[in-house]
Amino acid sequence: KTDPRSGRSRGFSFVVFETIDGLEKALATLTHMLMGKNIALKKAEHKPGKVYVGKLTADLSSDQIQFHFSKFGKILLFEHPIDKKEGKQKDYCFITFEKDTSAKQLIKIGKT
């Protein structure tokens, strides 16, 4: 993944394996090298009701985002990280709903 503003690598990526066997083999390997660098491999945690919201513009406040998404269900946790270098909100957030059905409904709709 790259930062859309700077074009630099954000230092992480997500890989979806076709089979559980592939995931287990990757996790069983102690060290992984990519382009001459050691990389860490971790299995993502499944968190029911949690969604990633990306491509947020700087003019949207956290309150506006929460208000919009609260229409889909009760929000338990809202995370809108701050860029430590810039001191500004990042262009993405994470929303955890009380019910997993709220998150599934959003994913099914796609854009709101």
Side-chain angles (χ1 to χ4, degrees):
K1 293 224 173 241
T2 57
D3 183 301
R5 293 182 187 125
S6 70
R8 296 182 62 199
S9 172
R10 291 172 56 195
F12 69 93
S13 68
F14 295 98
V15 176
V16 179
F17 290 88
E18 287 187 15
T19 65
I20 295 201
D21 184 53
L23 168 66
E24 289 172 349
K25 285 179 182 177
L27 289 171
T29 304
L30 297 178
T31 54
H32 293 271
M33 294 279 290
L34 182 63
M35 298 175 69
K37 295 183 181 185
N38 284 325
I39 60 171
L41 178 70
K42 298 176 186 175
K43 183 178 178 202
E45 293 180 39
H46 172 69
K47 297 186 178 180
K50 187 171 186 174
V51 295
Y52 164 86
V53 180
K55 298 185 180 181
L56 298 172
T57 57
D59 62 323
L60 287 172
S61 71
S62 291
D63 287 340
Q64 289 171 311
I65 298 165
Q66 288 182 74
F67 178 76
H68 174 76
F69 285 99
S70 68
K71 298 172 189 173
F72 296 93
K74 183 177 178 185
I75 296 173
L76 292 180
L77 180 63
F78 177 79
E79 302 165 272
H80 195 177
I82 295 175
D83 184 315
K84 292 177 184 175
K85 289 182 182 177
E86 305 265 335
K88 298 177 183 176
Q89 299 280 338
K90 293 193 176 187
D91 64 346
Y92 65 90
C93 70
F94 296 96
I95 300 172
T96 305
F97 289 96
E98 181 178 50
K99 296 183 180 177
D100 193 39
T101 53
S102 298
K104 287 179 180 178
Q105 176 188 4
L106 270 171
I107 292 167
K108 190 174 183 178
I109 292 169
K111 291 185 178 182
T112 63

